[in-house]
Amino acid sequence: MPLVGLTVVEPRLAWPLAAVRGVFAILFGVLALIWPGATVLALAIIYGIYAIIDGIGGLMQAFRPGDAAHRAAYGVLGVLGIAAGVLVLLWPGITVLVLAFLVGFWAIFTGIVEIVAAIRLRKQIEGEAFLIAAGALSLIAGIVIVINPIAGAYGIALLVGIYALLYGIMLLVLAFRLRKLTQA
């Protein structure tokens, strides 16, 4: 018996599903682009719910038979997960800011490492200017995000929206090509 969702569907019969998925992805992408703040807050809330459910799973694992050290670790992770989830749900805006700061500091660190690597490798590789440029771009983006984390959070939402929009368009193109197979 094949697993649900893992079965191969006849391509000529799959076009309506691909079309519906494409339309929903486009709608989500447009909404994310129109309301990036709501998109980021929704992602934070979804993460909060996930953290609570994961924390409950960790606590359940802590009460199963087994090694005491592993059970204690699962217990601690479970409590921390539930606490993190509750905090995120109580203050989703702070979660968005923390995420933006993490992305910003990651971009700064990555940029510095890429610039240093390009300078150190300039005698061994050609085109190190591209690595320096990429590092500089990462460094500048990171600094901008750290200085204005709300803009960084909005940027994340805009990227998600653009991705969903493009993905939806690709699914619609696929749906129309599959539909042509049914007419052939």
Side-chain angles (χ1 to χ4, degrees), residues 1 21 30 36 46 54 64-66 68 73 76 85 95 99 105 122 124 128-129 143 152 154 161 170 175:
M1 179 175 171
R21 289 179 60 214
V30 167
I46 290 170
D54 188 58
R64 292 190 171 200
V76 169
T95 303
L99 174 63
F105 285 121
R122 71 179 179 269
Q124 299 170 349
E128 74 279 359
I143 291 169
Y154 275 67
M170 296 298 171

Side-chain angles (χ1 to χ4, degrees), residues 45-104:
I45 290 168
I46 290 170
Y47 170 74
I49 293 168
Y50 162 76
I52 290 172
I53 293 170
D54 188 58
I56 291 169
L59 282 179
M60 290 172 62
Q61 190 71 23
F63 289 103
R64 292 190 171 200
D67 179 26
H70 284 101
R71 291 177 47 211
Y74 277 116
V76 169
L77 289 175
V79 169
L80 290 175
I82 292 170
V86 168
L87 289 174
V88 166
L89 292 178
L90 290 175
W91 298 296
I94 292 174
T95 303
V96 170
L97 287 176
V98 169
L99 174 63
F101 277 120
L102 287 174
V103 169

